[in-house]
Amino acid sequence: MLYNEPDFVGVKSQLKLACEARGFCAIFFPKFHCELNFIEQCWGYSKRIYHKLPMSSKEVDLKRNVLQSLDLVPLLAICRFSTRSLRFMDAYIKGLDGKQAAWASKKYHGHQTLPETIMRDLTDAGLVSNIH
């Protein structure tokens, strides 16, 4: 609640200020929205690989397994995760809710963005009662 107060809303975080001072643009995704952050999807892929590797309690083995599991995430998968995230962002920009965005992302999985006819398509699919 504190972060929604007017005197907090306009204040930049120390991390954002440090990034901007070095010429970087810091973009923060909403918490708990892993579909918007393809890095989270890459981590999930890597974790699945990691759990298939032999268990060990030795630090050297753990480090090797982590690096190996990160290296085994294919570039094609990273690109697909990125495209999927872009589709979800586009869906939310177009006013879709979570259920509609998931449906649209699955239906238009070969597209980077959703078509302008998305609201009509949702109506035809019974996911929306009227077109806005």
Side-chain angles (χ1 to χ4, degrees):
M1 290 181 64
L2 187 60
Y3 289 104
N4 293 326
E5 292 297 318
D7 54 337
F8 278 94
V9 173
V11 179
K12 293 182 182 180
S13 70
Q14 291 295 319
L15 178 59
K16 192 164 189 131
L17 291 171
C19 288
E20 289 175 357
R22 289 165 180 79
F24 297 103
C25 178
I27 300 172
F28 296 99
F29 293 109
K31 290 182 180 181
F32 307 112
H33 287 280
C34 59
E35 72 266 6
L36 300 180
N37 186 347
F38 74 96
I39 300 298
E40 292 294 331
Q41 296 169 49
C42 293
W43 276 113
Y45 193 109
S46 177
K47 283 169 64 175
R48 283 191 299 276
I49 294 170
Y50 181 84
H51 288 294
K52 292 178 183 178
L53 297 174
M55 290 181 59
S56 175
S57 59
K58 297 179 184 174
E59 188 174 342
V60 68
D61 292 338
L62 295 172
K63 183 175 180 178
R64 184 188 67 245
N65 287 348
V66 166
L67 294 174
Q68 182 181 357
S69 65
L70 289 170
D71 285 340
L72 289 173
V73 178
L75 182 58
L76 181 60
I78 295 170
C79 292
R80 286 182 178 158
F81 295 147
S82 174
T83 301
R84 182 176 183 267
S85 293
L86 288 172
R87 277 196 308 271
F88 267 93
M89 285 183 223
D90 190 47
Y92 291 133
I93 288 169
K94 287 185 166 95
L96 277 60
D97 64 23
K99 182 179 178 181
Q100 294 166 339
W103 176 86
S105 181
K106 198 175 278 187
K107 178 170 174 60
Y108 299 103
H109 66 274
H111 306 274
Q112 188 168 1
T113 60
L114 301 174
E116 294 301 320
T117 61
I118 188 64
M119 293 309 282
R120 185 177 63 225
D121 297 344
L122 285 166
T123 303
D124 293 346
L127 293 169
V128 114
S129 59
N130 58 14
I131 298 176
H132 296 83

